[in-house]
Amino acid sequence: MHILLSNDDGYLAEGLSALANALREHADISVVAPDRNRSAASNSLTLEMPLRAYPSHNGFIKVDGTPTDCVHLAITGLLEKEPDMVFAGINHGSNLGDDVLYSGTVAAATEGRFLGLPAVAISLAGNNPVNFATAAHVAVTLFKQLVENPLPQDTILNVNVPDLPLQAIKGYQATRLGQRHKSEPVIKSEDPRGRTIYWVGPPGGEQDAGNGTDFYAIAEGFVSVTPLQLDLTWYGRINALKAWLPKGRCL
């Protein structure tokens, strides 16, 4: 098995090293990651300028692009051997609920959908998480489970791990995405020349966070595992939309 690793925190991130060290004992790995922090890059691809990839001192390949760029390059010609699976992370902080729409970590996993095997995004909850060994153990456990009991090839797993020692983790829960309140207001400031600038505010607090959600599992000390799909069609609304649309030709 050949696993491609990437992240959005950059090629020097502690979580990426922890993930690589854990998985290389069980499979061949290749690491292609951004050359700097690209958190919240979502699924963006760089199209208006060339991308550059360089080997780094730690054996990883760093790319001056987004997490999606990294995985896209890796599976379309950068690597001599095409990978079988993608693991993205270990993210420094959770990716819960609405976070998946913005997360570069989740985007790196979703880009791996072309490979024909499940892809995994794994995040360690907390503002300044420290228990990367716990998340690495979870990654290895899920990798073994995928090998022994494969899931459908279009499956993307969004995994969040409480920032706790391994012995304090209560187990695994299959969850759905929760939902946050809208983000906090932007922070208005000035640059040194007196021009107005804005900082994006922090994400909103938990809104839909009850039993069964990823928020709830993390709060209760469980590893949250949420299956994601890329088809965003709201099938239950198609017939209602047909009735709502204007009738006849567009004139």
Side-chain angles (χ1 to χ4, degrees), residues 3-244:
I3 309 176
L4 170 63
L5 274 58
S6 193
N7 72 347
D8 69 1
D9 293 312
Y11 76 105
L12 294 176
E14 181 180 355
L16 182 63
S17 295
L19 184 62
N21 291 335
L23 287 176
R24 68 162 45 100
E25 297 184 10
H26 306 276
D28 295 330
I29 68 166
S30 296
V31 183
V32 184
D35 62 356
R36 60 193 184 279
N37 191 313
R38 297 301 299 264
S39 295
S42 189
N43 296 85
S44 57
L45 277 171
T46 301
L47 302 178
E48 295 296 325
M49 61 181 64
L51 294 166
R52 294 173 173 82
Y54 304 97
S56 62
H57 67 278
N58 59 3
F60 302 166
I61 297 174
K62 58 181 180 179
V63 176
D64 60 347
T66 67
T68 300
D69 288 330
C70 294
V71 176
H72 192 86
L73 261 63
I75 66 177
T76 58
L78 178 64
L79 301 179
E80 293 183 4
K81 179 184 177 184
E82 185 175 277
D84 301 300
M85 184 184 298
V86 171
F87 267 74
I90 299 166
N91 193 65
H92 294 219
S94 63
N95 278 303
L96 301 166
D98 309 273
D99 300 342
V100 301
L101 297 174
Y102 307 99
S103 168
T105 300
V106 176
T110 59
E111 190 66 13
R113 68 193 185 278
F114 301 111
L115 296 176
L117 288 174
V120 180
I122 184 163
S123 305
L124 184 59
N127 293 326
N128 294 291
V130 295
N131 289 285
F132 290 100
T134 300
H137 178 89
V138 168
V140 170
T141 300
L142 293 178
F143 166 71
K144 291 179 178 179
Q145 187 74 358
L146 286 169
V147 172
E148 296 171 5
N149 300 288
L151 291 171
Q153 66 181 32
D154 58 349
T155 303
I156 302 163
L157 297 181
N158 184 44
V159 182
N160 283 274
V161 182
D163 187 24
L164 298 170
L166 183 60
Q167 61 271 22
I169 300 293
K170 295 180 180 179
Y172 296 81
Q173 287 190 354
T175 59
R176 66 175 177 85
L177 296 177
Q179 189 174 359
R180 295 185 183 275
H181 291 282
K182 73 174 185 178
S183 297
E184 298 296 322
V186 296
I187 301 169
K188 186 177 180 180
S189 185
E190 287 186 352
D191 69 13
R193 293 178 173 81
R195 295 173 296 197
T196 301
I197 58 174
Y198 299 91
W199 293 94
V200 172
E206 302 169 7
Q207 182 180 34
D208 176 9
N211 195 355
T213 67
D214 46 5
F215 286 108
Y216 187 87
I218 291 297
E220 294 297 310
F222 290 89
V223 175
S224 166
V225 184
T226 305
L228 305 179
Q229 64 179 6
L230 292 180
D231 184 353
L232 300 180
T233 307
W234 193 346
Y235 290 96
R237 289 294 177 93
I238 290 179
N239 288 333
L241 183 61
K242 287 179 181 178
W244 176 86

